[in-house]
Amino acid sequence: MAESANTHPCADDEDMPELSSGDSGDDQEQWQWTEEDSQQVSCLFCDRLLNSVTATLQHFTFEHQVNLIDVIRKYNLDDYSYIKLINFIRSSKCDPSHLMGLPDGPFQWESEDFLRPVIQDDPLLQIDLEDLCGSQGKFASTFKQSVADAHHHALLQRATKAEEAVARSFEDLQKLKLLVQDLVLNAEPGRSTNVSGVAELRADEDEAYFSSYGHYGIHEEMLKDKVRTETYRDFMYRNPEVFRDKIVLDVGCGTCILSMFAARAGAKKVIAVDQSDIIYQAMDIVRSNKLEDKITLLKGRIEDIKLPVEKVDIIISEWMGYFLLFESMLDSILVARDLFLHDGGSVYPDLCNLSLAAVGDKQRYQERIAFWDDVYGFNMSCMKKVVVPEAVVEVLNADTLISEPTVIQTIDCNKVCLSELEFSSNFCLKITNTTDCTAIVGYFDVFFDKGCCNKVTFSTGPQVAKTHWKQTIFQLEKPFPVQAGEELQGKITVCKNKKDPRSLFVTFDLRDKKLTYCVQ
Ligand code: SAH
């Protein structure tokens, strides 16, 4: 994805070329199709006139951050409700941002009145939904590429916006820190913060990311995490009916442990993909276990790889990072899902809950934060401004919890879109102890649920056996008193860090204060 950033067709519609699938064998077909498609289309959300339906779809994605295919899938639209939706948008001039975030129906466009076209011969009403959304449809190959590019473009745009918002709320010292980082980056010859500079930076970061997974130590730690590994194993061994005769894709196979579980559970074929060098060990491991006939290993990024089959029945992966979303590997699972999963196929694990709870731990506060007030008789309290915003990944003593936990986000890996991985959520923590609140803790739970006779789950919370994810602790610079029975209201915003999209910014609105943390 990053490679296309330099040549990405951006906001200028006049110059916007039709994106091709990049497969030169399709050039003829592509050209014919583009000709057929050449008719003026007026945008649903602004005054622009576009030269074709495809250019319009691209314009929606790049300019308005609306992927029409995602909208159709999200609301399960059939031909009639699609027509109503288009006419509804044209007549109501509704804001594009509303489209992806509506609660369950009934929807405003359901009235039969919206079957009447707002624009005569509207080309958007002449689209066959199968052509648009079906894997064999004439828009499919072109739009698949365009969506991948759009994801990248949208990521850049959202990250820019998120970073601006975060920068405004940061304390002075943090602003200074970012400024210095910027200066350092810009001072390096050949580096700048323009789009190609960012792409270059991304490629370097990706290399560092994958090389970290090339070391055996990290895989040893994951394999020894019994809660994690045994849950994956139990899910597959206890639900053989899910795997029998299925083609399974293991995204980020590492040592191939999940692929081997799937093979033993009865899968017909397992395709195991990993970009890191650990895959060379995995090849030996698979051979040593005489599973080479069942498991095909491929080295590469899932975003770039060509699979030996067109579609798979099941995607398995262990993609979860600290505070669930650190590492952004879920982005890659969504790409794999949208490219390779059969309609009706399943991604496992399928459900994840992200939760928060309040913490009252005066001793930890004393050791970590108040410590800086007097260090061998010197005042270093300015250090708090840089220490506090770094979320800490550690095992929390469950006795220090002072509220009931609350789920702030549920992610369904079979349905979620990329844009929903950055979100805001209001929360309410029911306080159980009268004391000082010194921190907020975050953790996640994982569920193997869809179509399973024997559902399995594990939690990374402080109340149960620890995992290598531990918990993520957001320490408060200034603790505040809370009363048992009180409801502590707040809002959490999770977004990616533009400079390092695998790390996260987490902002809390709590007791009239805005507190921003980096999970890195
Ligand atoms: N499945 C293994 C390893 C999980 S760690 C297990 O459960 O033990 C995640 C693995 O995903 C790493 O080895 C990493 O290199 C790989 N990975 C992450 N993103 C990837 C991508 N986009 N394409 C291919 N491999 C990826």
Side-chain angles (χ1 to χ4, degrees):
M1 285 198 299
E3 303 84 87
S4 63
N6 298 346
T7 54
H8 199 280
C10 27
D12 195 345
D13 296 321
E14 267 74 48
D15 297 331
M16 187 186 279
E18 301 282 349
L19 291 175
S20 87
S21 67
D23 181 345
S24 56
D26 287 349
D27 281 351
Q28 178 88 11
E29 197 184 310
Q30 195 70 47
W31 177 82
Q32 284 171 353
W33 173 77
T34 305
E35 284 290 287
E36 280 166 25
D37 189 35
S38 58
Q39 47 190 326
Q40 293 250 299
V41 190
S42 67
C43 175
L44 289 173
F45 309 108
C46 69
D47 296 326
R48 305 299 287 260
L49 270 183
L50 288 307
N51 288 333
S52 66
V53 169
T54 312
T56 311
L57 296 176
Q58 290 169 358
H59 170 82
F60 291 167
T61 318
F62 300 133
E63 282 296 290
H64 302 297
Q65 285 74 52
V66 172
N67 178 337
L68 200 57
I69 295 179
D70 277 352
V71 175
I72 292 166
R73 289 201 180 127
K74 181 172 167 100
Y75 298 111
N76 226 344
L77 299 181
D78 58 21
D79 285 308
Y80 283 106
S81 40
Y82 166 77
I83 290 171
K84 290 183 197 170
L85 174 75
I86 297 294
N87 291 326
F88 164 74
I89 300 172
R90 289 214 187 278
S91 57
S92 70
K93 307 251 178 301
C94 90
D95 191 300
S97 64
H98 290 328
L99 280 181
M100 289 310 285
L102 294 171
D104 290 344
F107 300 112
Q108 288 150 290
W109 61 78
E110 281 175 10
S111 153
E112 300 297 89
D113 291 346
F114 293 118
L115 283 171
R116 212 172 307 123
V118 176
I119 291 183
Q120 214 57 46
D121 299 318
D122 188 345
L124 287 181
L125 297 184
Q126 288 154 28
I127 300 177
D128 184 331
L129 284 200
E130 189 48 37
D131 276 341
L132 189 57
C133 304
S135 56
Q136 303 304 321
K138 71 175 182 178
F139 289 83
S141 64
T142 309
F143 205 68
K144 218 184 272 174
Q145 178 65 38
S146 145
V147 165
D149 291 345
H151 276 166
H152 179 79
H153 183 77
L155 185 81
L156 280 178
Q157 282 200 335
R158 270 198 312 282
T160 309
K161 280 187 196 150
E163 202 208 21
E164 282 164 4
V166 164
R168 275 197 299 277
S169 66
F170 254 37
E171 301 276 348
D172 285 349
L173 262 176
Q174 285 169 299
K175 277 187 190 165
L176 206 62
K177 191 175 149 195
L178 286 177
L179 209 69
V180 171
Q181 279 175 357
D182 242 6
L183 285 175
V184 172
L185 278 178
N186 287 324
E188 278 183 48
R191 278 257 170 101
S192 68
T193 45
N194 61 21
V195 174
S196 66
V198 170
E200 208 179 293
L201 203 56
R202 296 267 160 85
D204 289 354
E205 281 161 358
D206 254 17
E207 209 179 301
Y209 170 75
F210 288 117
S211 101
S212 75
Y213 276 113
H215 297 287
Y216 74 88
I218 193 166
H219 294 280
E220 182 177 341
E221 187 189 15
M222 289 187 288
L223 293 170
K224 285 183 174 166
D225 181 339
K226 285 189 161 194
V227 172
R228 177 201 92 113
T229 312
E230 289 184 352
T231 310
Y232 273 86
R233 182 198 61 190
D234 293 349
F235 151 60
M236 292 191 243
Y237 287 3
R238 290 184 194 165
N239 293 284
E241 70 288 348
V242 172
F243 285 88
R244 192 167 304 124
D245 295 330
K246 293 288 169 31
I247 301 181
V248 177
L249 173 63
D250 178 357
V251 179
C253 61
T255 54
C256 256
I257 183 71
L258 306 185
S259 297
M260 294 190 293
F261 288 151
R264 287 242 170 104
K268 178 166 74 185
K269 172 136 222 69
V270 184
I271 301 162
V273 178
D274 205 300
Q275 163 72 340
S276 102
D277 287 350
I278 192 69
I279 195 144
Y280 298 123
Q281 308 303 321
M283 288 170 182
D284 285 345
I285 294 170
V286 166
R287 262 195 304 272
S288 307
N289 290 281
K290 302 198 173 19
L291 286 168
E292 61 268 41
D293 293 343
K294 277 264 164 79
I295 302 177
T296 304
L297 292 112
L298 301 171
K299 184 171 192 300
R301 292 172 79 244
I302 194 71
E303 290 82 352
D304 310 327
I305 207 111
K306 183 157 174 33
L307 297 189
V309 293
E310 205 183 322
K311 295 281 169 185
V312 301
D313 304 302
I314 293 177
I315 291 178
I316 48 170
S317 184
E318 196 277 82
W319 51 266
M320 294 80 76
Y322 298 132
F323 199 54
L324 189 63
L325 296 173
F326 172 73
E327 269 189 59
S328 288
M329 195 182 153
L330 181 53
D331 298 17
S332 304
I333 308 304
L334 302 193
V335 171
R337 180 195 69 189
D338 296 344
L339 288 176
F340 302 126
L341 193 65
H342 268 305
D343 293 346
S346 305
V347 179
Y348 293 107
D350 49 331
L351 301 175
C352 302
N353 279 348
L354 195 53
S355 296
L356 296 178
V359 178
D361 188 346
K362 288 185 186 142
Q363 190 184 340
R364 165 189 277 279
Y365 177 79
Q366 204 56 42
E367 288 168 7
R368 296 297 173 82
I369 310 297
F371 162 79
W372 296 105
D373 289 333
D374 179 358
V375 183
Y376 300 98
F378 296 99
N379 179 347
M380 295 195 185
S381 53
C382 61
M383 288 293 288
K384 291 184 200 171
K385 292 270 185 278
V386 288
V387 170
V388 170
E390 281 186 9
V392 181
V393 175
E394 265 181 23
V395 174
L396 187 95
N397 177 353
D399 295 342
T400 64
L401 289 174
I402 56 160
S403 81
E404 290 172 17
T406 187
V407 175
I408 51 148
Q409 184 75 331
T410 296
I411 292 178
D412 182 340
C413 299
N414 286 292
K415 294 192 183 141
V416 71
C417 323
L418 189 69
S419 58
E420 291 166 332
L421 302 184
E422 293 179 282
F423 58 88
S424 284
S425 168
N426 292 319
F427 62 83
C428 170
L429 295 170
K430 291 207 180 88
I431 300 293
T432 49
N433 301 33
T434 300
T435 181
D436 282 348
C437 176
T438 60
I440 302 289
V441 62
Y443 63 88
F444 60 90
D445 304 324
V446 173
F447 302 86
F448 297 84
D449 190 275
K450 188 181 168 200
C452 295
C453 294
N454 296 301
K455 300 182 192 304
V456 288
T457 174
F458 72 89
S459 172
T460 66
Q463 313 260 30
V464 290
K466 70 172 188 196
T467 68
H468 77 287
W469 287 284
K470 304 173 186 170
Q471 284 86 40
T472 304
I473 301 167
F474 305 95
Q475 195 78 53
L476 301 178
E477 185 180 343
K478 294 194 178 74
F480 52 80
V482 286
Q483 299 277 333
E486 172 186 344
E487 295 197 330
L488 179 61
Q489 310 274 356
K491 181 175 156 197
I492 181 170
T493 303
V494 177
C495 59
K496 291 171 185 161
N497 175 355
K498 183 185 142 206
K499 292 214 170 76
D500 172 11
R502 292 196 184 271
S503 76
L504 297 175
F505 282 129
V506 177
T507 301
F508 289 93
D509 287 276
L510 206 57
R511 288 271 170 101
D512 298 327
K513 283 219 162 109
K514 210 178 247 308
L515 311 163
T516 297
Y517 297 84
C518 191
V519 182
Q520 60 188 358

Short mmCIF file of all heavy atoms in Angstrom, two decimals, residues 209-210 213 219 222-223 228 250-255 257-258 273-276 278 300-303 318 329 332 502, ligand 1:
data_model
loop_
_atom_site.label_atom_id
_atom_site.label_comp_id
_atom_site.label_asym_id
_atom_site.label_seq_id
_atom_site.Cartn_x
_atom_site.Cartn_y
_atom_site.Cartn_z
N TYR A 209 9.62 -3.34 11.98
CA TYR A 209 8.55 -4.12 12.58
C TYR A 209 8.72 -5.60 12.24
O TYR A 209 8.72 -6.47 13.12
CB TYR A 209 7.21 -3.59 12.06
CG TYR A 209 6.01 -4.43 12.40
CD1 TYR A 209 5.49 -4.43 13.69
CD2 TYR A 209 5.37 -5.20 11.43
CE1 TYR A 209 4.37 -5.20 14.01
CE2 TYR A 209 4.26 -5.95 11.73
CZ TYR A 209 3.76 -5.96 13.02
OH TYR A 209 2.67 -6.71 13.32
N PHE A 210 8.91 -5.89 10.95
CA PHE A 210 9.02 -7.30 10.56
C PHE A 210 10.33 -7.91 11.05
O PHE A 210 10.37 -9.09 11.36
CB PHE A 210 8.85 -7.46 9.05
CG PHE A 210 7.43 -7.24 8.61
CD1 PHE A 210 7.08 -6.20 7.77
CD2 PHE A 210 6.42 -8.06 9.09
CE1 PHE A 210 5.76 -5.99 7.40
CE2 PHE A 210 5.09 -7.87 8.72
CZ PHE A 210 4.77 -6.82 7.88
N TYR A 213 10.03 -9.39 14.39
CA TYR A 213 9.39 -10.70 14.43
C TYR A 213 10.29 -11.80 13.84
O TYR A 213 9.92 -12.97 13.80
CB TYR A 213 8.05 -10.68 13.68
CG TYR A 213 6.91 -10.20 14.55
CD1 TYR A 213 6.27 -9.00 14.29
CD2 TYR A 213 6.48 -10.95 15.63
CE1 TYR A 213 5.22 -8.55 15.08
CE2 TYR A 213 5.43 -10.53 16.43
CZ TYR A 213 4.81 -9.32 16.15
OH TYR A 213 3.78 -8.90 16.95
N HIS A 219 8.65 -15.02 19.49
CA HIS A 219 7.77 -16.16 19.21
C HIS A 219 7.73 -17.11 20.42
O HIS A 219 6.69 -17.67 20.75
CB HIS A 219 8.20 -16.87 17.93
CG HIS A 219 8.01 -15.99 16.73
ND1 HIS A 219 6.79 -15.83 16.12
CD2 HIS A 219 8.86 -15.16 16.08
CE1 HIS A 219 6.90 -14.96 15.13
NE2 HIS A 219 8.16 -14.53 15.09
N MET A 222 5.35 -15.66 22.86
CA MET A 222 3.94 -15.87 22.46
C MET A 222 3.52 -17.32 22.65
O MET A 222 2.44 -17.60 23.17
CB MET A 222 3.72 -15.45 21.01
CG MET A 222 3.80 -13.95 20.80
SD MET A 222 3.35 -13.46 19.12
CE MET A 222 4.75 -14.02 18.19
N LEU A 223 4.41 -18.26 22.25
CA LEU A 223 4.05 -19.67 22.37
C LEU A 223 3.91 -20.07 23.83
O LEU A 223 3.05 -20.88 24.19
CB LEU A 223 5.11 -20.55 21.69
CG LEU A 223 5.18 -20.40 20.16
CD1 LEU A 223 6.42 -21.09 19.61
CD2 LEU A 223 3.93 -20.96 19.50
N ARG A 228 -3.13 -17.55 25.75
CA ARG A 228 -3.28 -17.22 24.33
C ARG A 228 -3.29 -18.48 23.46
O ARG A 228 -4.26 -18.79 22.76
CB ARG A 228 -2.09 -16.33 23.92
CG ARG A 228 -2.04 -15.96 22.46
CD ARG A 228 -0.63 -15.55 22.04
NE ARG A 228 0.11 -16.69 21.55
CZ ARG A 228 0.52 -16.84 20.28
NH1 ARG A 228 0.29 -15.90 19.41
NH2 ARG A 228 1.17 -17.92 19.91
N ASP A 250 -3.68 -18.42 7.22
CA ASP A 250 -3.11 -17.99 8.51
C ASP A 250 -2.31 -16.72 8.22
O ASP A 250 -1.23 -16.76 7.61
CB ASP A 250 -2.21 -19.11 9.05
CG ASP A 250 -1.53 -18.76 10.37
OD1 ASP A 250 -1.70 -17.62 10.84
OD2 ASP A 250 -0.83 -19.63 10.93
N VAL A 251 -2.84 -15.56 8.63
CA VAL A 251 -2.18 -14.29 8.34
C VAL A 251 -1.17 -13.99 9.45
O VAL A 251 -1.55 -13.81 10.60
CB VAL A 251 -3.22 -13.14 8.23
CG1 VAL A 251 -2.51 -11.82 7.94
CG2 VAL A 251 -4.23 -13.45 7.15
N GLY A 252 0.10 -13.92 9.08
CA GLY A 252 1.16 -13.71 10.07
C GLY A 252 1.39 -15.00 10.84
O GLY A 252 1.17 -15.08 12.04
N CYS A 253 1.86 -16.02 10.11
CA CYS A 253 1.87 -17.38 10.70
C CYS A 253 2.97 -17.56 11.74
O CYS A 253 2.88 -18.47 12.57
CB CYS A 253 2.02 -18.42 9.60
SG CYS A 253 3.56 -18.25 8.68
N GLY A 254 4.03 -16.71 11.72
CA GLY A 254 5.12 -16.89 12.68
C GLY A 254 5.68 -18.30 12.60
O GLY A 254 6.07 -18.76 11.52
N THR A 255 5.67 -19.03 13.70
CA THR A 255 6.21 -20.40 13.72
C THR A 255 5.24 -21.41 13.11
O THR A 255 5.53 -22.61 13.11
CB THR A 255 6.46 -20.83 15.18
OG1 THR A 255 5.24 -20.64 15.91
CG2 THR A 255 7.59 -20.04 15.81
N ILE A 257 2.29 -22.17 14.31
CA ILE A 257 1.55 -22.94 15.32
C ILE A 257 0.06 -22.98 15.00
O ILE A 257 -0.57 -24.04 15.10
CB ILE A 257 1.82 -22.37 16.75
CG1 ILE A 257 1.13 -23.20 17.81
CG2 ILE A 257 1.43 -20.91 16.89
CD1 ILE A 257 1.74 -24.54 18.03
N LEU A 258 -0.50 -21.85 14.57
CA LEU A 258 -1.95 -21.84 14.31
C LEU A 258 -2.28 -22.67 13.07
O LEU A 258 -3.30 -23.37 13.02
CB LEU A 258 -2.47 -20.40 14.14
CG LEU A 258 -2.16 -19.41 15.26
CD1 LEU A 258 -2.85 -18.07 15.00
CD2 LEU A 258 -2.59 -19.95 16.62
N VAL A 273 1.11 -17.28 5.73
CA VAL A 273 1.84 -16.14 5.16
C VAL A 273 2.52 -15.37 6.27
O VAL A 273 1.91 -15.09 7.32
CB VAL A 273 0.85 -15.20 4.42
CG1 VAL A 273 1.59 -13.99 3.85
CG2 VAL A 273 0.12 -15.95 3.31
N ASP A 274 3.77 -15.02 6.07
CA ASP A 274 4.45 -14.11 7.01
C ASP A 274 5.53 -13.36 6.26
O ASP A 274 6.20 -13.92 5.40
CB ASP A 274 5.04 -14.86 8.21
CG ASP A 274 5.18 -13.95 9.42
OD1 ASP A 274 5.90 -12.94 9.32
OD2 ASP A 274 4.57 -14.23 10.46
N GLN A 275 5.70 -12.11 6.58
CA GLN A 275 6.72 -11.29 5.93
C GLN A 275 8.06 -11.40 6.66
O GLN A 275 9.09 -11.09 6.10
CB GLN A 275 6.22 -9.82 5.90
CG GLN A 275 7.26 -8.77 5.65
CD GLN A 275 7.75 -8.78 4.20
OE1 GLN A 275 7.60 -9.76 3.48
NE2 GLN A 275 8.37 -7.69 3.80
N SER A 276 8.03 -11.86 7.91
CA SER A 276 9.29 -11.84 8.65
C SER A 276 10.06 -13.14 8.42
O SER A 276 9.51 -14.16 7.98
CB SER A 276 9.02 -11.60 10.14
OG SER A 276 9.10 -12.79 10.84
N ILE A 278 11.06 -15.34 10.23
CA ILE A 278 10.69 -16.50 11.04
C ILE A 278 10.08 -17.59 10.14
O ILE A 278 10.10 -18.76 10.47
CB ILE A 278 9.70 -16.11 12.18
CG1 ILE A 278 9.55 -17.23 13.20
CG2 ILE A 278 8.35 -15.70 11.62
CD1 ILE A 278 10.75 -17.47 14.04
N GLY A 300 5.93 -12.99 2.55
CA GLY A 300 5.53 -11.72 1.96
C GLY A 300 4.52 -11.03 2.84
O GLY A 300 4.00 -11.62 3.80
N ARG A 301 4.26 -9.75 2.50
CA ARG A 301 3.20 -9.02 3.21
C ARG A 301 1.87 -9.49 2.64
O ARG A 301 1.73 -9.64 1.42
CB ARG A 301 3.34 -7.52 2.98
CG ARG A 301 4.56 -6.92 3.63
CD ARG A 301 4.75 -5.48 3.20
NE ARG A 301 3.86 -4.58 3.94
CZ ARG A 301 2.88 -3.86 3.40
NH1 ARG A 301 2.66 -3.92 2.11
NH2 ARG A 301 2.13 -3.08 4.14
N ILE A 302 0.91 -9.68 3.50
CA ILE A 302 -0.37 -10.20 3.04
C ILE A 302 -1.00 -9.23 2.04
O ILE A 302 -1.76 -9.62 1.16
CB ILE A 302 -1.33 -10.47 4.25
CG1 ILE A 302 -2.51 -11.30 3.82
CG2 ILE A 302 -1.81 -9.18 4.90
CD1 ILE A 302 -2.18 -12.71 3.52
N GLU A 303 -0.63 -7.96 2.19
CA GLU A 303 -1.19 -6.93 1.30
C GLU A 303 -0.67 -7.11 -0.13
O GLU A 303 -1.30 -6.64 -1.09
CB GLU A 303 -0.80 -5.52 1.78
CG GLU A 303 -1.46 -5.06 3.06
CD GLU A 303 -0.78 -5.57 4.33
OE1 GLU A 303 0.14 -6.42 4.24
OE2 GLU A 303 -1.18 -5.12 5.42
N GLU A 318 -3.32 -14.25 14.80
CA GLU A 318 -3.15 -13.68 16.14
C GLU A 318 -2.51 -12.33 15.92
O GLU A 318 -1.31 -12.22 15.75
CB GLU A 318 -2.29 -14.62 17.00
CG GLU A 318 -2.40 -14.29 18.46
CD GLU A 318 -1.51 -13.16 18.88
OE1 GLU A 318 -1.92 -11.97 18.68
OE2 GLU A 318 -0.43 -13.41 19.39
N MET A 329 -2.02 -4.38 13.32
CA MET A 329 -2.03 -5.55 12.43
C MET A 329 -3.44 -5.91 11.99
O MET A 329 -3.63 -6.56 10.95
CB MET A 329 -1.35 -6.74 13.14
CG MET A 329 -1.00 -7.84 12.15
SD MET A 329 -0.26 -9.24 12.96
CE MET A 329 -0.74 -10.54 11.81
N SER A 332 -4.21 -5.19 8.48
CA SER A 332 -3.80 -6.19 7.48
C SER A 332 -4.81 -7.32 7.39
O SER A 332 -5.05 -7.88 6.32
CB SER A 332 -2.42 -6.77 7.83
OG SER A 332 -1.48 -5.74 7.95
N ARG A 502 1.78 2.49 13.58
CA ARG A 502 1.57 1.29 14.39
C ARG A 502 1.37 1.65 15.86
O ARG A 502 0.95 0.81 16.65
CB ARG A 502 2.73 0.31 14.22
CG ARG A 502 2.77 -0.29 12.83
CD ARG A 502 3.63 -1.49 12.75
NE ARG A 502 3.72 -1.99 11.39
CZ ARG A 502 2.89 -2.87 10.83
NH1 ARG A 502 1.90 -3.37 11.53
NH2 ARG A 502 3.06 -3.27 9.58
N1 SAH B 1 0.64 -16.69 14.31
C1 SAH B 1 1.85 -16.74 15.12
C2 SAH B 1 2.60 -15.41 15.15
C3 SAH B 1 1.79 -14.21 15.60
S1 SAH B 1 2.76 -12.74 15.69
C4 SAH B 1 1.48 -17.19 16.51
O1 SAH B 1 0.29 -17.14 16.85
O2 SAH B 1 2.37 -17.55 17.28
C5 SAH B 1 2.28 -11.88 14.25
C6 SAH B 1 3.05 -12.31 12.98
O3 SAH B 1 2.42 -11.65 11.90
C7 SAH B 1 4.51 -11.89 12.93
O4 SAH B 1 5.31 -13.00 12.65
C8 SAH B 1 4.58 -10.85 11.82
O5 SAH B 1 5.78 -10.91 11.07
C9 SAH B 1 3.40 -11.24 10.96
N2 SAH B 1 2.79 -10.13 10.22
C10 SAH B 1 2.30 -8.97 10.72
N3 SAH B 1 1.76 -8.22 9.75
C11 SAH B 1 1.90 -8.92 8.59
C12 SAH B 1 1.56 -8.65 7.24
N4 SAH B 1 0.95 -7.52 6.91
N5 SAH B 1 1.86 -9.56 6.30
C13 SAH B 1 2.51 -10.72 6.64
N6 SAH B 1 2.86 -11.02 7.91
C14 SAH B 1 2.56 -10.14 8.88
#
